[in-house]
PDB file of all heavy atoms in Angstrom:
ATOM      1  N   PHE A  96     -19.820   4.532  -9.236  1.00 98.00           N
ATOM      2  CA  PHE A  96     -18.684   4.304 -10.127  1.00 98.00           C
ATOM      3  C   PHE A  96     -17.713   5.468 -10.031  1.00 98.00           C
ATOM      4  O   PHE A  96     -18.113   6.584  -9.721  1.00 98.00           O
ATOM      5  CB  PHE A  96     -19.159   4.233 -11.592  1.00 98.00           C
ATOM      6  CG  PHE A  96     -19.772   2.933 -12.036  1.00 98.00           C
ATOM      7  CD1 PHE A  96     -20.964   2.481 -11.469  1.00 98.00           C
ATOM      8  CD2 PHE A  96     -19.170   2.160 -13.018  1.00 98.00           C
ATOM      9  CE1 PHE A  96     -21.554   1.279 -11.900  1.00 98.00           C
ATOM     10  CE2 PHE A  96     -19.737   0.959 -13.431  1.00 98.00           C
ATOM     11  CZ  PHE A  96     -20.925   0.511 -12.874  1.00 98.00           C
ATOM     12  N   VAL A  97     -16.458   5.200 -10.307  1.00 98.00           N
ATOM     13  CA  VAL A  97     -15.483   6.279 -10.472  1.00 98.00           C
ATOM     14  C   VAL A  97     -14.860   6.096 -11.856  1.00 98.00           C
ATOM     15  O   VAL A  97     -14.535   4.980 -12.256  1.00 98.00           O
ATOM     16  CB  VAL A  97     -14.364   6.237  -9.399  1.00 98.00           C
ATOM     17  CG1 VAL A  97     -13.313   7.322  -9.632  1.00 98.00           C
ATOM     18  CG2 VAL A  97     -14.939   6.373  -7.997  1.00 98.00           C
ATOM     19  N   VAL A  98     -14.699   7.210 -12.587  1.00 98.00           N
ATOM     20  CA  VAL A  98     -14.058   7.156 -13.894  1.00 98.00           C
ATOM     21  C   VAL A  98     -12.703   7.871 -13.823  1.00 98.00           C
ATOM     22  O   VAL A  98     -12.584   8.944 -13.245  1.00 98.00           O
ATOM     23  CB  VAL A  98     -14.951   7.856 -14.969  1.00 98.00           C
ATOM     24  CG1 VAL A  98     -14.222   7.942 -16.313  1.00 98.00           C
ATOM     25  CG2 VAL A  98     -16.281   7.129 -15.090  1.00 98.00           C
ATOM     26  N   VAL A  99     -11.688   7.201 -14.359  1.00 98.00           N
ATOM     27  CA  VAL A  99     -10.354   7.829 -14.469  1.00 98.00           C
ATOM     28  C   VAL A  99      -9.947   7.698 -15.930  1.00 98.00           C
ATOM     29  O   VAL A  99     -10.140   6.644 -16.509  1.00 98.00           O
ATOM     30  CB  VAL A  99      -9.338   7.095 -13.563  1.00 98.00           C
ATOM     31  CG1 VAL A  99      -7.954   7.750 -13.678  1.00 98.00           C
ATOM     32  CG2 VAL A  99      -9.782   7.071 -12.134  1.00 98.00           C
ATOM     33  N   HIS A 100      -9.464   8.783 -16.490  1.00 98.00           N
ATOM     34  CA  HIS A 100      -9.029   8.646 -17.912  1.00 98.00           C
ATOM     35  C   HIS A 100      -7.572   9.023 -18.092  1.00 98.00           C
ATOM     36  O   HIS A 100      -6.985   9.788 -17.299  1.00 98.00           O
ATOM     37  CB  HIS A 100      -9.943   9.449 -18.849  1.00 98.00           C
ATOM     38  CG  HIS A 100      -9.957  10.925 -18.618  1.00 98.00           C
ATOM     39  ND1 HIS A 100      -9.015  11.760 -19.140  1.00 98.00           N
ATOM     40  CD2 HIS A 100     -10.824  11.709 -17.913  1.00 98.00           C
ATOM     41  CE1 HIS A 100      -9.283  13.000 -18.796  1.00 98.00           C
ATOM     42  NE2 HIS A 100     -10.378  13.015 -18.041  1.00 98.00           N
ATOM     43  N   GLY A 101      -7.013   8.489 -19.148  1.00 94.00           N
ATOM     44  CA  GLY A 101      -5.636   8.783 -19.518  1.00 94.00           C
ATOM     45  C   GLY A 101      -5.616  10.015 -20.384  1.00 94.00           C
ATOM     46  O   GLY A 101      -6.616  10.712 -20.534  1.00 94.00           O
ATOM     47  N   ALA A 102      -4.451  10.286 -20.960  1.00 94.00           N
ATOM     48  CA  ALA A 102      -4.277  11.516 -21.716  1.00 94.00           C
ATOM     49  C   ALA A 102      -4.294  11.274 -23.228  1.00 94.00           C
ATOM     50  O   ALA A 102      -4.797  12.095 -23.991  1.00 94.00           O
ATOM     51  CB  ALA A 102      -2.968  12.183 -21.314  1.00 94.00           C
ATOM     52  N   GLY A 103      -3.791  10.126 -23.666  1.00 91.00           N
ATOM     53  CA  GLY A 103      -3.756   9.861 -25.081  1.00 91.00           C
ATOM     54  C   GLY A 103      -3.038  10.977 -25.827  1.00 91.00           C
ATOM     55  O   GLY A 103      -1.936  11.362 -25.466  1.00 91.00           O
ATOM     56  N   SER A 104      -3.744  11.525 -26.820  1.00 93.00           N
ATOM     57  CA  SER A 104      -3.086  12.596 -27.603  1.00 93.00           C
ATOM     58  C   SER A 104      -3.234  13.966 -26.956  1.00 93.00           C
ATOM     59  O   SER A 104      -2.866  14.975 -27.540  1.00 93.00           O
ATOM     60  CB  SER A 104      -3.638  12.624 -29.029  1.00 93.00           C
ATOM     61  OG  SER A 104      -5.038  12.812 -29.020  1.00 93.00           O
ATOM     62  N   PHE A 105      -3.745  14.007 -25.713  1.00 95.00           N
ATOM     63  CA  PHE A 105      -3.788  15.256 -24.942  1.00 95.00           C
ATOM     64  C   PHE A 105      -2.653  15.199 -23.885  1.00 95.00           C
ATOM     65  O   PHE A 105      -2.494  14.192 -23.212  1.00 95.00           O
ATOM     66  CB  PHE A 105      -5.134  15.413 -24.221  1.00 95.00           C
ATOM     67  CG  PHE A 105      -6.275  15.721 -25.130  1.00 95.00           C
ATOM     68  CD1 PHE A 105      -6.819  14.721 -25.951  1.00 95.00           C
ATOM     69  CD2 PHE A 105      -6.815  16.994 -25.216  1.00 95.00           C
ATOM     70  CE1 PHE A 105      -7.887  14.993 -26.814  1.00 95.00           C
ATOM     71  CE2 PHE A 105      -7.875  17.277 -26.057  1.00 95.00           C
ATOM     72  CZ  PHE A 105      -8.432  16.281 -26.854  1.00 95.00           C
ATOM     73  N   GLY A 106      -1.957  16.267 -23.722  1.00 93.00           N
ATOM     74  CA  GLY A 106      -0.981  16.347 -22.635  1.00 93.00           C
ATOM     75  C   GLY A 106       0.370  15.789 -22.929  1.00 93.00           C
ATOM     76  O   GLY A 106       1.375  16.358 -22.549  1.00 93.00           O
ATOM     77  N   HIS A 107       0.415  14.652 -23.659  1.00 91.00           N
ATOM     78  CA  HIS A 107       1.737  14.037 -23.882  1.00 91.00           C
ATOM     79  C   HIS A 107       2.657  14.962 -24.661  1.00 91.00           C
ATOM     80  O   HIS A 107       3.838  15.090 -24.355  1.00 91.00           O
ATOM     81  CB  HIS A 107       1.596  12.718 -24.649  1.00 91.00           C
ATOM     82  CG  HIS A 107       1.168  11.586 -23.735  1.00 91.00           C
ATOM     83  ND1 HIS A 107       1.917  11.227 -22.630  1.00 91.00           N
ATOM     84  CD2 HIS A 107       0.113  10.770 -23.757  1.00 91.00           C
ATOM     85  CE1 HIS A 107       1.321  10.244 -22.013  1.00 91.00           C
ATOM     86  NE2 HIS A 107       0.205   9.960 -22.664  1.00 91.00           N
TER      87      HIS A 107
END
Side-chain angles (χ1 to χ4, degrees):
Chain A
F96 280 66
V97 177
V98 174
V99 180
H100 62 84
S104 59
F105 289 74
H107 280 302

